[in-house]
């Protein structure tokens, strides 16, 4: 007979699946949430679901956005002749935080890694050239 995990154990297990979150950090987060008002946990849950439901990839640059094409591709103030090629969508947000780049982006969707079977065909290289 299988034992059902407690809500605390289940949440620790789920949070442990996130990058850089081990079981100890997950447990600290869970106990922190338990000491906060219910509405804060509700807000966190709703924010996670909103990201999953409303954010997708831009059909032009492959960045993450709530609309398609994204705000970077549709902003006439950005230099369309200057393209910053990045590996992941998270890199766009890191560059944007600096406020220094005023061009457009192209997200490859990863890095070439022959040992993992990832070559140019598995990335958005063709779209960049087009």
């Amino acid at each position: 007979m299988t034992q059902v995990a407690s809500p605390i154990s289940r949440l620790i297990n789920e949070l442990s699946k996130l990058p850089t979150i081990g079981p100890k950090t997950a447990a600290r987060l869970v106990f922190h949430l338990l000491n906060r008002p219910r509405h804060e946990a509700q807000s966190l849950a709703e924010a996670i679901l909103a990201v999953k439901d409303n954010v997708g990839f831009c059909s032009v640059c492959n960045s993450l956005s709530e609309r398609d094409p994204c705000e970077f591709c549709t902003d006439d103030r950005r230099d369309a002749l200057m393209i910053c090629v990045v590996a992941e969508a998270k890199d766009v947000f890191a560059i944007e935080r600096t406020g220094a780049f005023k061009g457009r982006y192209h997200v490859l969707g990863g890095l070439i890694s022959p040992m993992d079977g990832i070559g140019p065909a598995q990335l958005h290289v063709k779209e960049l050239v087009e």
Side-chain angles (χ1 to χ4, degrees), residues 7 34 38 45 57-58 86 94 110 129:
L34 285 170
R38 186 181 197 290
F57 291 99
C58 173
V86 297
V129 174

Side-chain angles (χ1 to χ4, degrees), residues 30-123:
V30 168
F31 291 113
H32 172 79
L33 288 170
L34 285 170
N35 288 316
R36 305 303 307 154
R38 186 181 197 290
H39 73 271
E40 288 184 18
Q42 183 75 35
S43 291
L44 175 61
E46 288 172 2
I48 291 169
L49 292 174
V51 164
K52 291 299 292 178
D53 292 343
N54 300 318
V55 176
F57 291 99
C58 173
S59 61
V60 178
C61 72
N62 303 304
S63 184
L64 291 170
S65 179
E66 291 182 61
R67 61 182 201 211
D68 187 25
C70 73
E71 59 274 12
F72 306 119
C73 291
T74 57
D75 188 346
D76 292 335
R77 297 169 296 179
R78 290 187 170 267
D79 184 352
L81 299 176
M82 190 181 328
I83 299 176
C84 180
V85 180
V86 297
E88 302 285 345
K90 66 182 179 179
D91 302 325
V92 172
F93 292 93
I95 294 168
E96 280 299 299
R97 277 196 305 268
T98 70
F101 183 69
K102 299 299 180 199
R104 305 255 173 103
Y105 294 96
H106 183 81
V107 179
L108 293 173
L111 296 171
I112 292 175
S113 177
M115 291 184 68
D116 295 322
I118 300 172
Q122 284 71 43
L123 303 175

